Amino acid sequence: MKEKIGFIGLGIMGKPMARNLVHAGYTLYVFSSGAASVRELEKEGAISASSPKKIAELSDIIITMLPDSPQVKEVAFGNDGLIEGLSKGKLFIDMSTIDAATEIEIHERFAAIGVDTLDAPVSGGDVGAKAGSLSIMAGGSKNAFNRALPLFQILGKRINHIGATGAGQIAKSCNQIATALATQGVIEAFSLAASAGIDLARLKEVLSGGFADSRTLAVSGERMIKRDFSPGFKLKLYTKDLRIAKQAAAERSVNLPGTQLLHNEMQQLVSEGKGELDFSALIHLFENN
Ligand code: NAD
């Protein structure tokens, strides 16, 4: 018999991920602070629950897809939190992008009551969440990973067990470093082209045929050309990801000068009130020079 799933956090990523699980025939209990998304999923067969505690009581496996560590901790340990409803043998999977230290803390507290955990952040954006083609990078025990695999195969295409608890989040930081710097590359190329009067759509087409080709160029480059900054991936969340990456690097004495630069740029735009825009809005900084 299929395990019963609880899903918490129905935003840009969580809603389509939860939808894919319902459509795959899972019994799915949902909880989120966005009431409209909950109603939408109820119409498609999900069952709404009144608290994380209730989700934990009703489900065998609980997934969270929340903005950052404070929200994950609140859901796990706050009033009517998961910890009040969990019992031995259940599995907790956090698919949010948060810091590895918080995942280790959650793992230790849940392990004490017989609940295993995985950190399993994703890459692939809203497009990948809708298509069920996310890249999933998991940290935790092999047993927990094997148990989660049937769910991961619905949500994603490239699914990897990276290592112990926290390793999934470190891999996700690596992903964010690489994609942030690729974004900077696209923006600088576009800035030079625009200053020389070159059509950006034509430039993108040319760059797509060679070594400059990337998903960043395809997706973020297209958004920059179309001036479509509706999220996508919110700039404020990307800023959070680079803060986490910097912290992980500092703890290991690793120098990340490019990441530092990008983090400063992102923070500047967030302080100008642009945090809710897609991160491709970073191009604004260069246009204002
Ligand atoms: P979002 O802001 O669209 O969604 C977050 C959801 O969590 C919202 O529905 C919100 O109502 C809910 N929520 C917040 N606090 C809550 C709480 N205490 N209890 C219950 N529900 C709560 O964010 P998103 O873009 O879906 O991102 C979610 C996570 O996935 C983040 O960690 C982000 O970094 C990561 N991520 C996002 C993308 C992307 O392209 N958007 C890609 C990969 C990973």
Side-chain angles (χ1 to χ4, degrees):
M1 210 174 78
K2 278 186 168 167
E3 304 211 74
K4 296 193 188 80
I5 313 299
F7 202 107
I8 303 180
L10 302 172
I12 289 176
M13 296 296 287
K15 187 167 69 172
M17 290 165 70
R19 175 178 287 132
N20 286 340
L21 292 172
V22 176
H23 290 190
Y26 279 93
T27 300
L28 192 82
Y29 300 97
V30 290
F31 176 82
S32 184
S33 53
S37 302
V38 173
R39 274 198 299 276
E40 216 179 297
L41 276 176
E42 270 185 312
K43 283 187 196 139
E44 298 182 35
I47 304 154
S48 110
S50 56
S51 67
K53 175 185 174 188
K54 205 81 198 150
I55 290 268
E57 285 169 355
L58 294 166
S59 318
D60 304 307
I61 299 180
I62 299 98
I63 299 175
T64 43
M65 195 54 173
L66 295 160
D68 195 358
S69 308
Q71 293 81 25
V72 177
K73 278 180 150 179
E74 187 195 327
V75 160
F77 307 122
N79 258 352
D80 276 338
L82 292 173
I83 201 156
E84 295 178 29
L86 285 171
S87 51
K88 192 170 178 336
K90 302 202 176 200
L91 173 65
F92 171 69
I93 309 172
D94 181 30
M95 302 193 79
S96 329
T97 305
I98 69 167
D99 60 284
T102 299
E103 299 290 14
I104 292 167
E105 181 192 336
I106 293 172
H107 177 76
E108 285 169 357
R109 290 183 67 178
F110 282 0
I113 53 168
V115 172
D116 207 350
T117 72
L118 283 174
D119 47 297
V122 305
S123 166
D126 57 327
V127 178
K130 285 177 195 148
S133 63
L134 293 167
S135 179
I136 302 175
M137 38 211 116
S141 72
K142 193 73 187 161
N143 272 351
F145 179 77
N146 288 339
R147 184 172 170 191
L149 199 51
L151 303 181
F152 289 164
Q153 284 165 337
I154 292 162
L155 302 173
K157 286 270 181 290
R158 206 167 282 236
I159 300 153
N160 279 288
H161 182 225
I162 308 289
T165 301
Q169 294 296 354
I170 298 292
K172 173 70 187 190
S173 278
C174 298
N175 184 82
Q176 296 311 79
I177 292 166
T179 51
L181 292 173
T183 306
Q184 178 83 359
V186 171
I187 290 173
E188 291 189 13
F190 280 14
S191 296
L192 178 61
S195 74
I198 293 172
D199 176 59
L200 293 185
R202 178 71 57 85
L203 180 80
K204 177 170 169 281
E205 202 180 313
V206 168
L207 296 187
S208 302
F211 261 61
D213 194 17
S214 66
R215 289 276 285 280
T216 303
L217 177 66
V219 179
S220 304
E222 187 67 11
R223 283 172 173 277
M224 291 173 201
I225 291 168
K226 289 192 170 151
R227 319 299 297 168
D228 173 12
F229 300 123
S230 59
F233 185 37
K234 291 173 195 163
L235 185 63
K236 69 173 187 188
L237 291 181
Y238 215 143
T239 311
K240 172 256 316 179
D241 289 357
L242 293 194
R243 169 181 51 77
I244 291 169
K246 275 172 47 186
Q247 183 190 325
E251 284 162 7
R252 294 162 179 82
S253 304
V254 175
N255 192 21
L256 302 178
T259 304
Q260 178 66 59
L261 175 74
L262 263 290
H263 190 232
N264 292 345
E265 289 177 5
M266 288 185 184
Q267 280 181 309
Q268 184 183 328
L269 280 187
V270 170
S271 71
E272 291 170 14
K274 294 179 174 151
E276 295 294 327
L277 297 180
D278 187 78
F279 72 94
S280 51
L282 261 179
I283 199 168
H284 283 152
L285 272 186
F286 292 81
E287 291 167 341
N288 295 340
N289 282 341

